Structure formats: structure tokens, C-alpha cells
Amino acid sequence: MMLDMEEEKKGIRGNGKMVEKEKEKSKQHQRGGVRTLPFILANELCDRFASAGFHANMINYLTQQLNMPLVSASNILSNFNGTSSLTPLLGAFIADSFAGRFWTIVVATLIYELGLITITISAILPHFHPPPCPTQLNCEEAKSSQLWILYLALFLTSLGTGGIRSCVVPFSGDQFDMTKKGVQSRKWNLFNWYFFCMGLASLSALTIVVYIQDNMGWGWGLGIPTIAMLISIIAFMLGSPLYKTMKPNGSPFVRLAQVIVAAIKKRNQALPQDPKLLYQNSELDSPISLEGRLLHSDQFRWLDKAAIITEEEAKYPNAQPNLWNLATIHRIEELKCIIRMLPIWASGILLITSSSHQNSFVIIQARTMNRHLSHSFQISPANMSIFNVLTMMIGVILYERLFVPFARRFTKNRAGITCLQRMGVGFVINIIATIVSALVEIKRKKVASKYQLLDNPKAIIPISVFWLVPQYCLHGVAEVFMSVGHLEFLFDQSPESMRSSATALYCIATAIGSFIGTLLVTLVHDYTGKEKSWLPDRNLNRGKLECYYFLVSGIQVINFIYYVICAWFYTYKPLEEISEMNIKEEDLEQVDGNVSFVSLKEGKEDEKREFAKDE
């Protein structure tokens, strides 16, 4: 009788667990989904509008309002972009360790807002910038005290960028099923539409904000992005009841360090022939493997030593392991994923190096060219970036609606082509765009020479600014392939618990590339001679910008060869998705349930027989 009661209790417990699981699933489904996108994308639209309006024309603010030399101004912006791309590592660490992505985004946006308020006030008050210099000759440069206000504003916006960039894409991904099955069931790509919204915001900023900056002054020109950033905070907070938020599960960097330490400690241990004998603990890994469990791979086998179970550890199989001595296969594979990704990730560094200063130089080129659309109206040099953004936006739609279905017929891949193939196409188009930039600069200088305008840096050369459009369009197409592909690759191939850190990696590539770009420009400026410098401070007509572009093209070709080699040998992460695991668990639960039911039934029959005997 007692045994029967115990079996009955076990059956009830099993059913209770199933009910609890169903409740948890229903709670998860109550939040997230498409309904959260309007709030997230509204936040991203306003945020990108503010940042694009702030950055787009900044080279003109530094050279014309603060009277800085071209190379110094370009280097400041490149270093600022580099710092802005390093801080996402800090943002990812904070989000993944203790704050969570939602609150990291909120606080970071507030810090960014403070930076915008600071630079807007400095633009309005005359005390914070030098006297105007319309001739751009023998100008009084900004004092150190005036520059410190600029540096403070740039630092605050860089710090805010760190929390926003590292968390917005992973937070958007948290609202949807990002397993392979979930992604394939959707007819749209989250990353494509994320970049489309970014493009829409940038386009609005480049048309509205840049026009105001050039025609109504920098007070209004920087004040509008400040207001837009405030709206982005409000929009994001309004959607908070709908968001699906993931609890932070400790620093992923600590977990990676634990694996390395454990592997070093057990470096003299012999690996078992059967990898199934290595330590696995699905309960311990459950908070960091919501989408699925990483399976064992044969690469970097020396790390597997961290999962060897010693005789001492085998004595207490149910005890909580010391993770500095013993790591699970899942945690080891997390580190392997990051190691495998690094060579592909590094290929983006030299791409950023080659393009880090191009926008600044092209704006200076455009300033010397005929920008009139009519006798009374001319476009701003910074407005030329519109063609880049428009091409990227149109390209994203055409890529998803035309290219993917067309490529799918040949590749049988639901995404059309893989992330790595997409990035490779982007590399090639970027090289072509840089060569076109060099050819256009040769044409511009030929016209300047023909009309004897080489020695007049303020002269408008009679050549249409629309000669610059092809290179902008090519860079836009390259972004559709390279930038979207790079971000998608890092998001897809990183461990799910480290997606903020993976997005930070994307930004760190930009940071390192920007700093190397600054170094490259400084070396070219210093070592090509003061008289015949490729990149002169004031008169671009007497420089050799086309030689710089050809140098950059050569660097990109070498980088592309390196990328092809890395992509050829890359191994995709081995993942057992949660759907596959659930099928196994449900089968086991069903078997347990049937056994309990049969036992209960048999027990009741025995009771009846015993009762009949007693009678």
C-alpha cells in the first residue's frame, strides 16, 4: 500500500512539473513578439536620427566653427568613432553581468543625452568657440578650454553609445524566437529591417538636420538631435510592459576565464577516447542555453581538459562543482565559438581602417565642387551621404525581396547565401568603391587645373558634385552585404548568452580600425612631405588624395585574400536546439507518465483482490 501511494505521488509530481513548464511557456509567450517592435524601432529611429545629425556634419563644425586644420579635425573624429566603438565592450559587460539589456539601454541613452546637451550649449554660447574665419586663412584656432568642452561632450556621447550599440540588437532578438527553426519560419530578416530603420533615420537627419546646421546655425542644428534623443527615451520606456527581458547570468568573460584556468590546471590529464565521458550538466547550463545546448567539437581539444572528471570530483557527483576546476562541455564550446569567430571578425578591422576617414575627405571634396540644383538652391556637402543611405535602404529591400529568392534556387539555402558569402561580396564591392573614389579625385583636380584654381582652396571648381554619387552608391551596396552580414554572423555564431558581447565585438572592430586609420592618415600626412603632402591641412587641390585611395585599395585587396582563407576553413558552431531537446524530454516524460499510470492501475487491482479475500 505504501509503495502504491509513493508511486501515485510520483505520478502527480510528474504531472505537476509538466503543468509548471506549460505555465512558464505561456508567460514567455505573453511578452515580446512583433508588438514590441514599434517601441524598439521608434527608439532606434530617434536615436539614430540624433546620432546621424550629430556626426554627419561634424567635420564642418570642427574646421569652420572651431577653425581646426583638416587632418587634426579628421583624426579627432576618427578617434571619437574609435572610442565610441570600444565602449560597447563595457556596455556588454554591464548588461550581461548584472544590469540586464533593458536598463543598460535606458541609462546609456540618458548619458548620451547629457553629451548632446553639452555640445549644444557650447555651440550656442560664443564664449565656447573662436571668432569666425570666413577666408579660412590664418584663422584663430579654438583654445584648449574650448576644446575641453568638445572633448567632454564627445566622451559622454561615446559612453552612451557603448550601452546602446551593445544591447539594442540583442534586446530586439530577445523579443523573438531566434533559433534556426524560428528564423526560418519568418519571411523577414530582423537584421535587414534593423539596418533599414537605421538608414531611414540617417536619411532624415542628413536632409533636415544638415540643412538647418548650414542655414539656421549650429544651435538649432544640434538642438534638434538633442530633442530627438529625448523622444527616443520616452518611446522606449512606453513599451516596457511588453518587453521580454532576460535575466543577466553573470559575466561571460568570467566563464571564459574559468574554462581557460581549468584547462591549464588539468593540462597533464589524459583526455578520454569517448567525449561523452567529459563533464556535462544541463541543469547548471540551463540559464545560459535557453535556445539549445552546444555540442562537443573536435577543434581546440586542449580546452576539453577542463571537462575531465577527476577521481576526487567523481566521489561527489551531486555536489555543486568548482567552476575554476571543472567546466561543462557547453561552457568549453562557448569559448571555442569565440576563438573560431575571431579571425573572421578581425577581417573587418582593416576594412574600417580603409574607410574611417573617407567620409571626412569626401565632404571636403564636395565643398569645392558645384553643388547647385538650381540658380538659387545648393545642397550641403554633408547631404551627399544621402546617396549612401538611400542605396543601402533600397538595397536591403531588393536583397530580401529579389536577391534571396533568386539565390535560393541555386544554393537551396533559405537565406539565399551564407553570412560569410554575403560578407565576401561586400569586401569586393568596397574595393571597387575605393578605386572609383580615386578616379573621381583625379577628374576633380584635372578640372581645377584647367581653370587654374589649384591654389585657391575656397574656389568652387566647375565640376558637378554628382560625380561623387557612384562611390557613395557603391559604398551603400557594400554595406548591404558587408555590414549586415558581419553583424548577422557575429549574432548567429556567438553563444546565446554572449550576444551583447558579440555585438560589442562588431563595434570593437570599428574602434581598432578607426585608431589604425588615424595612424595611417598621420603617417601619410607626415611622411609624404610638407610641400607635396598627399593630405594637406588647408588646400586639398594641392594634395594627392587619389594616391591615398589607391594605397587603401591595396590594403583592402590583401585583407580580402586573408578573409577568403579564414572563411574557407571556418567551422560553424554545433548546436542541439531546444526543440530537439524538448522532443526527447517529452518522450521521456510520456514514458514515465505511462509507467506511473500502469503502476497505479495495477496497484488498485491488487487492492481489490486483497479486499475480496478478506471478505
Side-chain angles (χ1 to χ4, degrees), residues 498-561:
M498 298 182 67
R499 281 176 178 161
S500 293
S501 303
T503 311
L505 274 179
Y506 176 81
C507 299
I508 289 167
T510 305
I512 299 171
S514 297
F515 290 135
I516 297 174
T518 298
L519 178 64
L520 179 65
V521 166
T522 303
L523 291 173
V524 168
H525 177 66
D526 291 345
Y527 289 98
T528 53
K530 288 186 178 180
E531 295 297 324
K532 295 183 178 180
S533 175
W534 288 6
L535 304 171
D537 282 328
R538 297 290 177 188
N539 188 0
L540 195 64
N541 297 334
R542 283 297 181 186
K544 292 184 178 179
L545 183 59
E546 69 278 6
C547 294
Y548 172 77
Y549 283 144
F550 283 129
L551 172 65
V552 162
S553 300
I555 292 171
Q556 288 185 31
V557 169
I558 296 168
N559 187 49
F560 176 65
I561 294 168

Side-chain angles (χ1 to χ4, degrees), residues 137-335:
L137 296 170
N138 302 318
C139 300
E140 181 187 334
E141 292 184 25
K143 298 173 184 175
S144 58
S145 59
Q146 294 167 335
L147 289 176
W148 274 110
I149 297 294
L150 171 71
Y151 296 149
L152 175 62
L154 294 180
F155 172 74
L156 288 171
T157 53
S158 296
L159 203 59
T161 298
I164 298 167
R165 282 191 192 174
S166 62
C167 294
V168 167
V169 174
F171 186 75
S172 303
D174 289 344
Q175 310 310 311
F176 299 94
D177 178 7
M178 294 305 290
T179 61
K180 190 176 180 181
K181 187 179 177 181
V183 170
Q184 288 181 351
S185 66
R186 288 192 293 272
K187 293 182 179 179
W188 49 276
N189 185 307
L190 177 63
F191 300 97
N192 284 341
W193 289 104
Y194 170 74
F195 271 86
F196 179 83
C197 289
M198 280 174 46
L200 183 64
S202 299
L203 182 66
S204 305
L206 290 168
T207 49
I208 299 169
V209 178
V210 169
Y211 178 82
I212 291 170
Q213 287 169 351
D214 287 343
N215 295 279
M216 296 176 65
W218 286 91
W220 278 107
L222 292 171
I224 289 173
T226 306
I227 295 168
M229 184 57 76
L230 181 62
I231 294 170
S232 80
I233 299 170
I234 296 168
F236 188 69
M237 292 299 292
L238 285 174
S240 58
L242 301 175
Y243 298 142
K244 187 192 291 181
T245 54
M246 303 296 179
K247 290 181 181 178
N249 294 300
S251 170
F253 303 111
V254 172
R255 288 202 303 276
L256 299 183
Q258 287 171 337
V259 171
I260 294 169
V261 170
I264 292 170
K265 284 180 178 179
K266 294 180 177 178
R267 62 189 179 278
N268 296 323
Q269 298 274 353
L271 280 168
Q273 293 294 323
D274 187 359
K276 290 179 181 178
L277 298 175
L278 295 171
Y279 182 59
Q280 296 192 55
N281 189 329
S282 56
E283 188 178 345
L284 180 66
D285 292 332
S286 59
I288 57 172
S289 57
L290 298 176
E291 290 177 8
R293 188 173 57 207
L294 291 169
L295 301 175
H296 178 263
S297 64
D298 290 329
Q299 286 182 305
F300 316 114
R301 291 210 66 191
W302 66 274
L303 288 171
D304 291 347
K305 293 191 174 187
I308 295 173
I309 304 170
T310 61
E311 290 182 9
E312 187 65 28
E313 290 162 343
K315 289 178 183 177
Y316 310 100
N318 297 323
Q320 185 74 12
N322 181 347
L323 295 174
W324 292 97
N325 295 327
L326 182 65
T328 63
I329 286 293
H330 180 86
R331 291 166 188 247
I332 292 168
E333 289 300 323
E334 281 188 327
L335 179 55

Side-chain angles (χ1 to χ4, degrees), residues 31-43:
R31 291 191 169 205
V34 177
R35 60 183 179 167
T36 61
L37 275 185
F39 300 98
I40 295 172
L41 293 181
N43 165 263

Side-chain angles (χ1 to χ4, degrees), residues 539-601:
N539 188 0
L540 195 64
N541 297 334
R542 283 297 181 186
K544 292 184 178 179
L545 183 59
E546 69 278 6
C547 294
Y548 172 77
Y549 283 144
F550 283 129
L551 172 65
V552 162
S553 300
I555 292 171
Q556 288 185 31
V557 169
I558 296 168
N559 187 49
F560 176 65
I561 294 168
Y562 160 79
Y563 170 78
V564 169
I565 294 168
C566 293
W568 184 265
F569 291 103
Y570 182 76
T571 304
Y572 286 88
K573 72 177 182 183
L575 180 69
E576 182 184 29
E577 291 196 346
I578 199 73
S579 56
E580 298 167 10
M581 293 163 65
N582 282 343
I583 289 167
K584 292 177 184 177
E585 285 177 10
E586 283 169 12
D587 289 344
L588 287 170
E589 284 171 5
Q590 196 173 1
V591 169
D592 290 341
N594 290 338
V595 169
S596 301
F597 178 74
V598 169
S599 302
L600 191 63
K601 196 173 179 183

